[in-house]
Amino acid sequence: MILKEEFLKLKEIAEGFDILGNFVTAEVITNGNINSTYAVEFKTVDGLKKYILQRVNTYVFKNPEQIMSNIAHVTYHIAEKVKKMSEEDAVTTLKFYDNKASKLNYYDDGKGNFWRICDFIDSVTMNESNDTAVMKALGEAFGDFQNMLSDFDAKYLYETIPDFHNTKKRLDTLFADAEKDEAGRVASVKKELDFFRENRELAGKLTDMFENGEIPARVTHNDTKLNNVLFDKEGKRPIAIIDLDTVMPGLTSSDYGDAVRFACSTAAEDETDLAKISLDMDKFKAFTEGFVGKTAASLTKKELETLPLGAITITIELASRFLDDYINGDKYFKTRHVKHNLERAICQITLAKDMLDKREQMERFVKSLINK
Ligand code: GN1
Ligand code: MG
């Protein structure tokens, strides 16, 4: 529900952008743990046109203008590629509009409110799917995304959240914050902290490999959840990849791994019935087939071999981020109730444990694909 005051604010902000017509409606979209998102409609001579208006969370994104610069570069690069493809093959991305006053692709009111607006793409988004054909298509879409950016010069990109997927640093931060215990919650999460203590070395392995030059940095999406892909109306074919806030240099295994973590789980990211949480091997195989099929030619053997470890690593990493936010008093992720971050952390720990049990199976499957 949007109250009148908020509605008028949204109207004023939206109409400040270079968009035809008059603002008529706004609706809250609740997907996403960071930014505030609205679907808004404008009335034009050709009928109603829908857009996505977003307020960027400036607690999380300290330099939102750098994000919008990254987005301008990356969306242009992808749009140029898509122009040369057939509509059937093209997985496109978003188009943002300039603000009339600033002539930039955002509006900053100087009081900590940072807004942007892009086209609404008529599509289906999924928080889960048990369809292995969807999993394969998802793998292909993220594989294609990485391929499209493989010739993008990373020097144009700001590292908008430094060390975003530096798992080693994430765990260091968790233990440092546990020492501080600012919200007085540490006594209740000893068991969870033990999990990170036990798996600290394994979780840091990919960071080490990157630092030793064994695996390269690539331009990656860094938030490859199933619901960051828009599908066609039948819910079969990916048509666009959205949420480019974290496009930065990163590891292929992070993109691969985060997609597996989210899409190939049998449960939602914050499931509290732990018996329901596991890695679905059929979904895993279908996703991996799609992703590896698209990227095998351009990745090194080592990168391919470490994909399963990527899934384990990113799951442990996100578990640590949720727990860290819980310990700090819920400052980063939006939460819906008081223990939400703890529940999310426990869910991700449970999933990570199941992945650890299935590590060999996962590795065997990836090997079978690359040795074909
Ligand atoms: C955040 O808000 P959303 O859903 O785009 C987070 C991701 C997490 C994800 C977990 C910038 O993404 O890293 O994996 O929540 N984004 C940021 O749902 O921290
Ligand atoms: Mg995101």
Side-chain angles (χ1 to χ4, degrees):
M1 253 287 284
I2 291 182
L3 300 174
K4 185 148 185 229
E5 205 180 312
E6 192 183 4
F7 178 88
L8 292 175
K9 179 84 197 158
L10 294 172
K11 176 175 155 68
E12 186 196 325
I13 300 288
E15 287 183 343
F17 283 88
D18 202 1
I19 284 172
L20 288 178
N22 297 311
F23 181 92
V24 279
T25 61
E27 191 191 321
V28 179
I29 298 195
T30 51
N31 259 349
N33 295 329
I34 307 287
N35 297 320
S36 305
T37 307
Y38 306 85
V40 300
E41 269 179 328
F42 275 68
K43 192 171 176 205
T44 72
V45 281
D46 303 320
L48 288 173
K49 194 158 171 358
K50 234 173 168 177
Y51 300 88
I52 293 289
L53 178 65
Q54 239 180 2
R55 188 171 60 218
V56 177
N57 179 330
T58 49
Y59 176 81
V60 168
F61 297 110
K62 307 280 187 219
N63 301 301
E65 54 299 316
Q66 296 187 349
I67 290 189
M68 294 315 289
S69 162
N70 284 359
I71 286 182
H73 282 298
V74 168
T75 51
Y76 178 80
H77 186 85
I78 292 178
E80 286 299 299
K81 293 245 153 121
V82 167
K83 270 189 207 159
K84 295 177 204 138
M85 295 165 88
S86 75
E87 209 178 304
E88 275 294 286
D89 293 336
V91 179
T92 174
T93 185
L94 301 169
K95 173 179 163 21
F96 286 85
Y97 288 83
D98 281 353
N99 181 266
K100 283 186 247 182
S102 73
K103 307 266 184 273
L104 294 164
N105 58 355
Y106 60 85
Y107 169 67
D108 184 354
D109 74 356
K111 292 180 230 149
N113 299 302
F114 191 101
W115 296 87
R116 63 189 176 193
I117 197 163
C118 66
D119 278 334
F120 175 90
I121 302 179
D122 202 9
S123 58
V124 167
T125 50
M126 291 173 255
N127 287 316
E128 59 179 322
S129 168
N130 288 322
D131 185 344
T132 49
V134 165
M135 289 302 123
K136 186 165 181 210
L138 183 73
E140 288 171 350
F142 282 130
D144 271 339
F145 184 82
Q146 200 155 108
N147 288 338
M148 281 203 268
L149 291 177
S150 60
D151 60 343
F152 181 82
D153 192 340
K155 78 168 188 238
Y156 293 110
L157 288 179
Y158 291 102
E159 195 180 354
T160 47
I161 305 184
D163 294 315
F164 188 57
H165 283 320
N166 182 330
T167 312
K168 253 175 122 169
K169 279 218 171 138
R170 292 281 188 186
L171 293 195
D172 291 350
T173 305
L174 172 70
F175 289 116
D177 289 345
E179 275 302 306
K180 291 189 208 134
D181 194 14
E182 273 178 8
R185 292 174 167 177
V186 171
S188 66
V189 298
K190 292 276 184 233
K191 210 173 75 200
E192 286 72 27
L193 283 169
D194 281 345
F195 170 80
F196 296 102
R197 228 167 259 123
E198 281 155 25
N199 290 287
R200 196 169 183 171
E201 205 188 309
L202 175 95
K205 198 163 169 220
L206 287 174
T207 314
D208 284 339
M209 287 177 78
F210 169 66
E211 284 168 357
N212 298 337
E214 287 176 69
I215 44 177
R218 305 203 178 258
V219 177
T220 46
H221 181 281
N222 293 311
D223 191 8
T224 49
K225 301 200 288 193
L226 172 60
N227 55 19
N228 277 335
V229 177
L230 307 182
F231 283 80
D232 66 359
K233 293 249 199 48
E234 284 73 47
K236 296 277 179 222
R237 194 178 71 83
I239 52 177
I241 291 190
I242 61 167
D243 190 358
L244 305 174
D245 291 339
T246 48
V247 172
M248 281 179 281
L251 299 178
T252 292
S253 58
S254 302
D255 271 8
Y256 166 87
D258 209 23
V260 167
R261 173 192 73 74
F262 190 89
C264 306
S265 168
T266 51
E269 198 173 76
D270 56 357
E271 176 61 58
T272 51
D273 180 351
L274 304 190
K276 287 191 183 152
I277 305 164
S278 65
L279 176 74
D280 180 318
M281 283 308 287
D282 291 331
K283 293 204 260 179
F284 166 83
K285 285 180 182 170
F287 175 82
T288 303
E289 227 175 275
F291 188 88
V292 172
K294 287 287 180 182
T295 55
S298 54
L299 300 184
T300 65
K301 189 153 181 274
K302 223 180 220 125
E303 273 178 300
L304 287 163
E305 280 171 1
T306 48
L307 291 178
L309 182 58
I312 296 169
T313 304
I314 214 85
T315 307
I316 296 179
E317 182 190 291
L318 185 62
S320 80
R321 294 172 61 199
F322 285 145
L323 188 65
D324 184 50
D325 199 29
Y326 182 72
I327 287 175
N328 290 340
D330 308 316
K331 295 193 179 117
Y332 187 100
F333 295 106
K334 285 196 241 165
T335 50
R336 280 185 288 279
H337 47 266
V338 74
K339 290 207 169 148
H340 202 176
N341 268 324
L342 178 59
E343 289 166 7
R344 287 167 169 156
I346 293 174
C347 173
Q348 296 303 303
I349 289 173
T350 309
L351 181 61
K353 283 183 179 163
D354 190 55
M355 286 181 174
L356 284 164
D357 287 345
K358 291 173 176 157
R359 182 173 173 187
E360 250 178 56
Q361 279 184 64
M362 290 159 80
E363 288 180 343
R364 226 178 301 129
F365 184 71
V366 170
K367 280 212 180 90
S368 76
L369 291 179
I370 55 184
N371 293 331
K372 254 183 194 165

